């Protein structure tokens, strides 16, 4: 390992010595649109400030512009247009291997000036969805790649934001303010999608490896409370992701290899219409590929196989609007063969000694949309989509005395096909008033089957083949009372045809700009969510032994959100933000018989509970205080400090308030990075450190576990114990080489550089008859190479 590090260092030094010093130019392309209507702003002036010779252009009739021969490295653009606030975007990273493309949305002035330009827009901290008043954060593909420890994964990147707790090296579950990760909504290109992770499962929103490829992401939003009216079926937060358009002018390619996989990407123009394009990226798991070649990387008998594809087609037309086709899909499988595992081998990364587990998952989403302008201020968007999630899981029990005796005891097959029809209409009445309406109809086709071996007999736990519908309607109104005051309001309605559950949910927010550098925001929302679908069809038996769907009448879990924030721009690239919030959850599924069970504690594992006879009588509350100090990348460095103090409590049907499984109480993240320009090349460093409170867990009843051969907890003491605090630090070093038309990146990242032993879980081991402690990721080097041309 030491020889390897020495080789890397000398390679960097050698490359630095021979670094090209000639000037390399690149183009900036983009489009200028009205932020409310999305209509192109013809004639908008786009310039590179301080350029010599001057670089500038005017947007054409479709809003497109081209800035030619801009020197690579960090640069800025400034956009002005009559009747709109000035927009400035700094620190655009230009490389030689790819043209830079940017969509720019201008905010109209309230006074509708005819021959003047008002400044003050284009903040580096501006968000994509201005209908969200509080608890929102925008990001792009560069941030998912920049932060140390993120593994190019948007979910792991988001774990660095205030209010979010990761503290789990094996999965990318998003735990927002003490909520179950199941409360998160994933939305891509305007449609709700199933869990976008490999090895996903029903009832969860996270997984070990993301199917989302950061190389295709456009500017997107992450919302953690009081989300606007167009979002529904979520309790904790929203990931609203957008895929960028491919290059409409020339073909460009990407190759990448790292721990996540071997990747190939391509994009370019389509011969269908002016500015039409395609974008596609394919990935195959690194460990799977290496195993197929015949190498052993020391991961034991289990190797994760997965592959995924992300793509988008963008087709603007002269008379029928713009058509877009988006798709994401992945297949994954892993066999965890405990019977072939050495129980004493700590290097068997994916082994589990007492069971054989066979897991296979297929998932994906596809949509076709049309956006059409009825006038320059009014447009509609229609989306037709399809998504699916299919999982097949089988578990074999290994005899603790004779490990050659293997018995199948769980067999699961679940599949959901969802057909989606969505329509939205938005109209900008004037520069002060914007209204929108929308409807989403989801037709769900289900096949659910779970059987378990109990007492020597196979019992049906879940069984369903059928259809149901979920309808969502929304209306929103934005009112700019003055240049510094904006009201956001709306209503969301949801109806679940399975049992007739329905919900009307008001949403309110206000943003008050105290002066040019300070803002106060307040937001409120009532939010609802259906339960994980397999739970509705869990089987119980009546007094006559007949099978019944004991949970089929469960209604929505609901939650009141209220949040208030104060932002101050300490400089053009430095912001301090504080936020307080309170969340009250009710109608939470709990057992009819008094117990500590609550569905609020599920969602961060594989599979759903088989608890029966649930009713909507549970409750919970989350409250806390958050601070963010952030310097965006400028002057070749950045840093981000986030801290969260919170409480997360729940009450089961026994009406006793307890800690939830996700009540870590505090999280502190510190990140930073620095770049060094060496000719046209860049040497960069990124660091990250996380310190978080340990999660609460329930004590194991050892006597009951020994008697049954299965882990049993002491229900009356649920979540009364807490793991030790979590600490992890990551270090990344990289080198970017820009030649005339090719960009290459070499990256070495060391995760958990201090080799801290963070507890993953405590569990009953039936082979030893004791309680084992499993630890999370140790020191772990990750290498990556990327080429763009």
């Amino acid at each position: 390992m030491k020889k390897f590090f020495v080789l890397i260092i000398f390679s960097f030094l050698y490359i630095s010595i021979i670094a090209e010093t000639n000037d390399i130019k690149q183009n900036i392309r983009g489009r200028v649109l009205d932020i409310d209507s999305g209509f192109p702003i013809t004639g908008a002036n786009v310039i590179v400030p301080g350029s010599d010779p001057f670089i500038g252009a005017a947007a054409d009739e479709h809003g497109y512009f081209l800035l030619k021969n801009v020197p690579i490295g960090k640069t800025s653009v400034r956009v002005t247009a009559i009747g709109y606030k000035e927009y400035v975007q700094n620190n655009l990273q230009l490389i030689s291997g790819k043209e830079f493309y940017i969509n720019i949305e201008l905010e109209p002035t309230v006074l509708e000036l005819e021959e003047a330009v008002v400044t003050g827009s284009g903040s580096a901290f501006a968000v994509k969805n201005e209908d969200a008043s509080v608890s929102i954060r925008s990001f792009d593909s560069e941030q998912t790649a920049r932060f140390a420890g993120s593994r190019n994964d948007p979910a792991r990147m988001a774990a660095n934001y205030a209010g979010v707790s990761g503290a789990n090296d094996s999965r990318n579950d998003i735990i927002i303010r003490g909520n179950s990760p199941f409360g998160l909504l994933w939305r891509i290109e305007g449609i709700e999608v199933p869990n976008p992770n490999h090895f996903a499962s029903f009832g969860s929103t996270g997984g070990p490896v993301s199917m989302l490829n950061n190389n295709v992401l456009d500017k997107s939003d992450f919302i953690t409370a009081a989300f606007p009216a167009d979002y529904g079926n979520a309790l904790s937060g929203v990931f609203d992701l957008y895929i960028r358009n491919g290059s409409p002018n020339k073909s460009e390619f990407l190759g990448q290899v790292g721990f996540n996989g071997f990747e190939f990407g391509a994009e370019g123009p389509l011969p269908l219409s002016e500015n039409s394009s395609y974008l596609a990226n394919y990935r195959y798991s690194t460990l799977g590929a290496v195993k197929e070649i015949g190498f052993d990387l020391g991961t034991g008998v289990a190797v994760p196989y997965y592959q995924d594809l992300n793509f988008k087609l963008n087709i603007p037309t002269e008379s029928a609007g713009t058509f877009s086709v988006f798709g994401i899909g992945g297949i994954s499988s892993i066999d965890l063969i405990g019977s072939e595992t050495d129980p004493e081998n700590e290097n068997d990364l994916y082994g589990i000694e007492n069971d054989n587990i066979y897991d296979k998952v297929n998932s994906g989403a596809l949509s076709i949309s049309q956006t059409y302008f009825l006038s320059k201020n009014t447009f509609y968007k229609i989306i037709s989509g399809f998504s699916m999630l299919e999982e097949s899981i089988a578990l074999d029990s290994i005899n603790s005395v004779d490990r050659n005796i293997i018995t199948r005891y769980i067999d699961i097959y679940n599949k959901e096909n969802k057909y989606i029809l969505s329509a939205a209409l938005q109209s900008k009445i004037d520069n002060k008033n914007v209204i929108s309406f929308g409807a989403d109809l989801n037709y769900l086709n289900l096949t659910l089957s779970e059987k378990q071996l109990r007492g020597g007999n196979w019992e049906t736990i879940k069984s369903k083949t059928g259809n149901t519908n979920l309808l969502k309607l929304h209306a929103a109104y934005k009112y700019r009372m003055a240049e510094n005051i904006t009201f956001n309001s709306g209503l969301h309605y949801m109806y679940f045809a399975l049992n007739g559950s329905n919900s009307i949910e008001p949403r309110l927010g206000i943003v008050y700009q105290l002066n040019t550098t300070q803002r106060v925001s307040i937001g409120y929302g009532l939010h609802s969510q259906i339960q994980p679908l397999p739970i509705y069809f869990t089987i119980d038996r009546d007094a006559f032994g007949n099978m019944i769907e004991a949970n089929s009448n469960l209604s929505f879990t609901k939650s009141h959100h209220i949040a208030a924030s104060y932002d101050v721009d300490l400089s053009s690239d430095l912001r301090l933000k504080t936020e307080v919030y309170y969340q009250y959850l009710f109608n939470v599924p709990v057992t009819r018989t008094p117990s500590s069970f609550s569905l609020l504690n599920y969602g961060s594992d594989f599979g759903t509970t088989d608890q029966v006879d649930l009713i909507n009588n549970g409750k919970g509350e989350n409250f806390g205080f958050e601070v963010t100090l952030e310097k965006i990348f400028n002057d070749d460095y950045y840093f981000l400090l986030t801290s969260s103090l919170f409480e997360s409590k729940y009450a089961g049907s026994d009406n006793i308030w307890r800690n939830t499984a996700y009540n870590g109480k505090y999280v502190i993240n510190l990140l930073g990075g620095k770049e060094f320009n060496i000719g046209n090349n860049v040497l960069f460093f990124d660091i990250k450190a996380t310190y978080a409170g340990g999660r609460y867990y329930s004590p194991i009843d050892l006597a009951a576990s020994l008697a049954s051969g299965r882990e049993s907890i002491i229900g009356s003491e649920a979540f009364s114990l807490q793991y030790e605090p979590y600490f992890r630090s990551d270090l990344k070093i990289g080198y970017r080489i820009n030649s005339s038309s090719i960009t290459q990146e070499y990256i070495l990242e060391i995760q958990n550089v201090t080799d801290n032993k963070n507890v993953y879980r405590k569990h009953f081991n039936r082979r030893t008859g004791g309680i084992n402690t499993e630890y999370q990721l140790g020191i772990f080097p990750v290498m990556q190479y990327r080429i763009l041309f």
Side-chain angles (χ1 to χ4, degrees):
M1 181 63 76
K2 291 182 179 179
K3 292 181 179 179
F4 173 77
F5 285 122
V6 172
L7 177 62
I8 290 292
I9 292 172
F10 275 101
S11 297
F12 285 156
L13 290 175
Y14 174 73
I15 294 171
S16 300
I17 292 172
I18 65 171
E20 298 182 46
T21 57
N22 60 297
D23 291 332
I24 300 176
K25 311 291 187 182
Q26 187 54 276
N27 296 332
I28 299 177
R29 296 181 185 270
R31 199 177 187 197
V32 185
L33 306 171
D34 184 293
I35 196 170
D36 293 324
S37 69
F39 198 78
I41 301 177
T42 303
N45 294 308
V46 187
I47 68 169
V48 176
S51 55
D52 186 15
F54 174 78
I55 301 174
D60 65 17
E61 61 180 330
H62 301 296
Y64 293 101
F65 67 87
L66 168 63
L67 301 174
K68 295 182 178 180
N69 299 319
V70 183
I72 65 169
K74 293 291 189 299
T75 192
S76 303
V77 296
R78 177 184 298 146
V79 186
T80 57
I82 294 175
Y84 291 88
K85 296 180 181 180
E86 180 186 71
Y87 180 99
V88 178
Q89 181 68 59
N90 297 314
N91 300 296
L92 304 179
Q93 177 68 60
L94 270 63
I95 59 176
S96 60
K98 178 174 176 53
E99 285 190 338
F100 193 94
Y101 192 93
I102 180 172
N103 278 319
I104 296 170
E105 296 179 315
L106 298 188
E107 181 182 348
T109 61
V110 171
L111 300 178
E112 300 193 40
L113 303 179
E114 294 296 329
E115 296 182 352
V117 174
V118 176
T119 62
S121 183
S123 165
F125 305 101
V127 299
K128 184 175 180 66
N129 190 341
E130 287 201 333
D131 291 341
S133 302
V134 293
S135 304
I136 182 171
R137 157 108 206 192
S138 289
F139 63 93
D140 56 24
S141 62
E142 184 180 354
Q143 285 182 303
T144 62
R146 179 182 298 280
F147 290 170
S150 295
R151 301 185 195 174
N152 300 327
D153 181 350
R156 284 188 165 90
M157 175 213 64
N160 299 298
Y161 296 153
V164 182
S165 176
N168 187 340
D169 300 336
S170 63
R171 293 171 57 94
N172 62 3
D173 295 298
I174 297 297
I175 298 169
I176 299 172
R177 297 173 171 175
N179 284 280
S180 164
F182 176 71
L184 178 72
L185 169 68
W186 285 100
R187 195 165 86 165
I188 307 178
E189 288 292 307
I191 67 168
E192 182 178 343
V193 299
N195 186 336
N197 290 282
H198 290 293
F199 309 102
S201 62
F202 284 76
S204 70
T205 59
V209 182
S210 176
M211 291 194 316
L212 295 165
N213 194 297
N214 73 299
N215 290 307
V216 304
L217 285 180
D218 202 350
K219 185 176 182 180
S220 302
D221 285 329
F222 178 59
I223 313 174
T224 56
F227 10 102
D230 54 326
Y231 303 112
N233 197 29
L235 292 177
S236 66
V238 176
F239 248 123
D240 191 7
L241 302 176
Y242 290 87
I243 307 302
R244 63 181 179 85
N245 295 330
S247 171
N249 301 99
K250 69 174 186 176
S251 296
E252 297 177 333
F253 304 94
L254 172 146
Q256 183 170 300
V257 59
F259 182 76
N260 283 343
F262 291 90
E263 301 181 26
F264 176 74
E267 59 184 287
L270 287 172
L272 299 176
S273 63
E274 186 178 6
N275 293 308
S276 63
S277 65
Y278 76 92
L279 170 69
N281 196 293
Y282 170 79
R283 177 175 58 177
Y284 191 92
S285 62
T286 300
L287 294 181
V290 172
K291 187 73 172 181
E292 290 295 327
I293 296 173
F295 288 97
D296 184 0
L297 292 181
T299 58
V301 298
V303 174
Y305 289 89
Y306 55 85
Q307 50 188 313
D308 51 61
L309 174 68
N310 294 217
F311 73 89
K312 183 180 180 181
L313 309 179
N314 183 62
I315 308 169
T317 68
E318 286 293 333
S319 59
T322 298
F323 293 87
S324 179
V325 181
F326 152 75
I328 180 174
I331 58 176
S332 54
S333 64
I334 189 170
D335 295 340
L336 302 167
I337 311 299
S339 58
E340 299 178 12
T341 300
D342 179 0
E344 308 302 326
N345 182 10
E346 295 182 355
N347 294 320
D348 200 327
L349 298 181
Y350 301 100
I352 181 168
E353 65 171 280
N354 293 314
D355 294 281
N356 290 345
I357 303 176
Y358 305 91
D359 184 23
K360 184 176 182 180
V361 178
N362 302 320
S363 62
L366 175 69
S367 73
I368 302 174
S369 68
Q370 180 202 23
T371 303
Y372 183 80
F373 281 90
L374 301 172
S375 69
K376 74 172 186 176
N377 289 330
T378 304
F379 73 92
Y380 70 76
K381 185 173 185 178
I382 297 176
I383 306 174
S384 176
F386 169 80
S387 70
M388 63 89 69
L389 175 59
E390 179 183 34
E391 65 175 351
S392 175
I393 305 172
L395 277 75
D396 295 341
S397 175
I398 302 167
N399 189 284
S400 59
V401 178
D402 184 350
R403 296 182 62 79
N404 293 316
I405 300 176
I406 301 172
T407 305
R408 176 66 50 88
Y409 72 98
I410 292 180
D411 212 334
I412 299 173
Y413 177 79
N414 293 324
K415 184 176 183 180
E416 174 194 288
N417 291 330
K418 181 189 296 184
Y419 301 88
I420 304 162
L421 183 61
S422 173
L425 176 72
Q426 182 163 311
S427 180
K428 173 181 153 182
I429 299 173
D430 53 37
N431 285 359
K432 290 186 176 183
N433 300 276
V434 181
I435 58 173
S436 61
F437 306 92
D440 295 271
L441 177 62
N442 297 340
Y443 176 78
L444 309 174
N445 176 261
L446 304 170
T447 301
L448 305 173
S449 174
E450 179 178 345
K451 296 181 179 180
Q452 294 186 16
L453 187 66
R454 295 179 175 178
N457 298 311
W458 282 97
E459 290 190 15
T460 299
I461 306 301
K462 297 179 179 72
S463 180
K464 183 67 177 182
T465 300
N467 308 298
T468 189
N469 300 299
L470 178 66
L471 174 66
K472 293 179 286 184
L473 306 173
H474 73 267
Y477 171 58
K478 175 166 36 178
Y479 175 52
R480 294 190 179 98
M481 182 177 181
E483 291 287 356
N484 62 334
I485 303 176
T486 300
F487 288 97
N488 291 304
S489 62
L491 280 176
H492 187 93
Y493 173 78
M494 192 159 64
Y495 173 78
F496 189 35
L498 178 69
N499 54 28
S501 299
N502 64 89
S503 177
I504 299 176
E505 306 162 12
R507 315 285 172 85
L508 297 169
I510 182 172
V511 179
Y512 179 39
Q513 188 84 30
L514 300 174
N515 51 47
T516 58
T517 62
Q518 299 179 76
R519 292 169 300 285
V520 175
S521 304
I522 300 175
Y524 163 78
L526 174 62
H527 306 281
S528 302
Q529 186 178 38
I530 63 174
Q531 313 307 330
L533 289 173
I535 289 178
Y536 289 99
F537 307 106
T538 305
I539 299 298
D540 198 5
R541 282 168 173 76
D542 62 18
F544 303 100
N546 300 314
M547 291 193 303
I548 58 173
E549 294 172 350
N551 301 327
S552 60
N553 290 321
L554 284 174
S555 185
F556 304 129
T557 299
K558 297 188 175 185
S559 172
H560 291 288
H561 287 214
I562 185 167
S565 68
Y566 169 73
D567 294 69
V568 56
D569 295 334
L570 302 176
S571 68
S572 61
D573 60 3
L574 182 63
R575 174 180 69 162
L576 175 66
K577 179 178 182 178
T578 60
E579 187 156 316
V580 294
Y581 64 89
Y582 178 78
Q583 179 187 11
Y584 178 73
L585 299 108
F586 58 104
N587 281 12
V588 179
V590 295
T591 56
R592 190 179 301 273
T593 303
S595 76
S596 60
F597 176 90
S598 172
L599 209 58
L600 292 181
N601 297 309
Y602 287 80
S604 64
D605 208 341
F606 300 95
T608 57
T609 178
D610 57 5
Q611 188 70 52
V612 296
D613 204 22
L614 299 177
I615 56 175
N616 292 101
N617 278 359
K619 54 191 175 182
E621 64 176 10
N622 302 310
F623 56 91
F625 175 72
E626 300 164 0
V627 178
T628 297
L629 179 64
E630 179 177 15
K631 181 189 182 301
I632 64 167
F633 196 97
N634 192 24
D635 297 327
D636 295 324
Y637 77 99
Y638 75 95
F639 65 79
L640 172 66
L641 172 64
T642 64
S643 60
S644 307
L645 298 175
F646 65 98
E647 281 286 351
S648 179
K649 301 284 188 177
Y650 83 98
S653 54
D654 60 4
N655 212 32
I656 298 175
W657 284 93
R658 297 180 171 89
N659 297 296
T660 68
Y662 310 109
N663 188 18
K665 294 187 178 294
Y666 61 89
V667 182
I668 301 173
N669 295 294
L670 176 62
L671 301 89
K674 171 69 176 174
E675 289 189 356
F676 299 89
N677 297 302
I678 305 171
N680 290 317
N681 305 333
V682 179
L683 176 66
F684 55 90
F685 298 86
D686 296 280
I687 60 171
K688 171 193 171 182
T690 297
Y691 186 68
R695 296 185 189 174
Y696 279 87
Y697 67 100
S698 302
I700 296 172
D701 188 331
L702 186 57
S705 301
L706 288 169
S708 65
R710 295 288 171 188
E711 182 174 288
S712 178
I713 65 169
I714 304 174
S716 61
E717 300 178 26
F719 305 106
S720 59
L721 303 177
Q722 188 178 20
Y723 292 128
E724 292 296 314
Y726 173 97
F727 175 76
R728 177 175 143 181
S729 55
D730 303 321
L731 170 66
K732 181 170 71 174
I733 178 174
Y735 197 79
R736 183 182 306 120
I737 304 171
N738 287 297
S739 57
S740 58
S741 60
I742 298 175
T743 296
Q744 301 178 75
E745 284 185 351
Y746 300 84
I747 294 175
L748 171 64
E749 182 169 355
I750 305 174
Q751 299 183 357
N752 194 8
V753 67
T754 62
D755 199 25
N756 194 59
K757 297 187 66 133
N758 295 303
V759 175
Y760 173 57
R761 65 167 183 163
K762 294 180 182 292
H763 69 98
F764 171 69
N765 187 325
R766 66 174 181 269
R767 180 181 65 85
T768 64
I771 297 175
N772 287 6
T773 300
E774 291 185 18
Y775 293 93
Q776 302 196 53
L777 186 74
I779 186 170
F780 192 66
V782 177
M783 292 175 288
Q784 178 180 293
Y785 169 74
R786 184 169 75 147
I787 181 171
L788 300 100
F789 57 97

